[in-house]
Amino acid sequence: MATPTTSEKLADVLLWPGTKICQFFGIQPTDDAGLIRSMFNMLVYLCVLLPILWILL
């Protein structure tokens, strides 16, 4: 069993919201080459980062 590298740990942290949403809906996160998980991640980060940008600008 290999120890995860720093980049793998960072990827796990960034992909965590999409992974949890996929698990909630019963979808395998790696199905469809991870595109569904990526879509959920983009939606989550859009809803989080867009208001922050509006406040800052």
Side-chain angles (χ1 to χ4, degrees):
M1 189 154 79
T3 305
T5 63
T6 304
S7 61
E8 290 173 342
K9 290 178 185 177
L10 181 62
D12 287 341
V13 169
L14 291 175
L15 296 174
W16 181 80
T19 302
K20 289 301 174 184
I21 293 170
C22 285
Q23 288 174 352
F24 176 77
F25 287 119
I27 302 168
Q28 193 71 351
T30 55
D31 283 354
D32 198 22
L35 292 174
I36 297 170
R37 176 176 61 177
S38 178
M39 178 195 66
F40 286 136
N41 280 322
M42 284 187 266
L43 291 172
V44 167
Y45 290 128
L46 174 72
C47 294
V48 170
L49 295 176
L50 193 58
I52 292 171
L53 281 175
W54 282 343
I55 290 170
L56 292 176
L57 298 176

